[in-house]
Amino acid sequence: MSAEPNNTAVFEAFAKYNFDNDERFKSGMAAILNRADEEDSATREETRERAKWFYYNKFIETFDYDAYVAWKSSAKSTSQEEKKDESKEELADDAQKPTRFTFQELVEMIETGQEIPGIRQIPNKLNDGEPSRPKLSARRKPWELVNDE
């Protein structure tokens, strides 16, 4: 059973809904969790998801819970594949990034005369070329203007 495009938008809105800041939901959830104290964590999580679905259906927008569960499981498998691809890219990026040194390591490298990776060496000499000739005359100072008038 595939999710229709309009259901996908509803499912994403439901997944992103901030139940933690909804006072009406929190008060009802507290009553439900008090009754479900002796249940195991998997059953508690299922109860919490069902309560969220019930609240969302009653006050915001209706949708089929089973279709949502199917969409969520397919989205998880897709996101896991994307995370694997991203982690491979991050590893490649980490290999290209320069290593970071502590202050103490930098001091030791400078004291021993080692070259620090990533630092460009600038020659300690002036430009050998001939300087250019100025095209404009130098600006006069304020006191020079007063004397000429």
Side-chain angles (χ1 to χ4, degrees):
M1 175 164 147
S2 67
E4 297 173 11
N6 60 351
N7 279 346
T8 302
V10 173
F11 297 157
E12 288 174 352
F14 173 70
K16 292 177 183 177
Y17 186 77
N18 192 354
F19 289 98
D20 295 332
N21 289 340
D22 193 322
E23 293 300 323
R24 190 171 15 171
F25 173 76
K26 287 192 326 190
S27 65
M29 194 66 202
I32 291 171
L33 290 179
N34 285 340
R35 285 184 275 154
D37 275 339
E38 40 299 322
E39 296 178 3
D40 62 16
S41 63
T43 308
R44 266 186 100 126
E45 194 58 38
E46 175 68 22
T47 303
R48 185 174 285 126
E49 278 295 312
R50 286 275 183 181
K52 287 179 179 180
W53 170 76
F54 176 81
Y55 178 84
Y56 198 85
N57 267 331
K58 184 151 179 80
F59 295 107
I60 299 169
E61 190 171 1
T62 61
F63 63 92
D64 182 36
Y65 182 75
D66 295 328
Y68 169 71
V69 171
W71 173 83
K72 187 177 176 182
S73 64
S74 68
K76 270 187 183 177
S77 65
T78 305
S79 67
Q80 287 175 351
E81 291 171 5
E82 290 174 357
K83 285 181 184 177
K84 288 179 184 177
D85 292 341
E86 287 175 3
S87 65
K88 288 178 184 176
E89 290 174 5
E90 287 175 3
L91 289 174
D93 289 344
D94 288 343
Q96 295 174 355
K97 288 182 182 176
T99 56
R100 296 185 63 114
F101 298 104
T102 64
F103 180 73
Q104 185 62 36
E105 290 171 335
L106 287 173
V107 168
E108 289 174 7
M109 291 173 81
I110 292 169
E111 287 176 347
T112 59
Q114 295 177 1
E115 189 174 311
I116 300 172
I119 303 294
R120 189 177 68 175
Q121 296 297 323
I122 299 173
N124 194 15
K125 64 177 187 170
L126 295 176
N127 187 358
D128 293 334
E130 187 176 324
S132 63
R133 298 275 178 219
K135 295 180 181 176
L136 297 175
S137 61
R139 265 180 81 183
R140 293 181 166 219
K141 310 293 189 284
W143 57 87
E144 293 174 334
L145 294 176
V146 173
N147 291 338
D148 289 342
E149 292 176 9

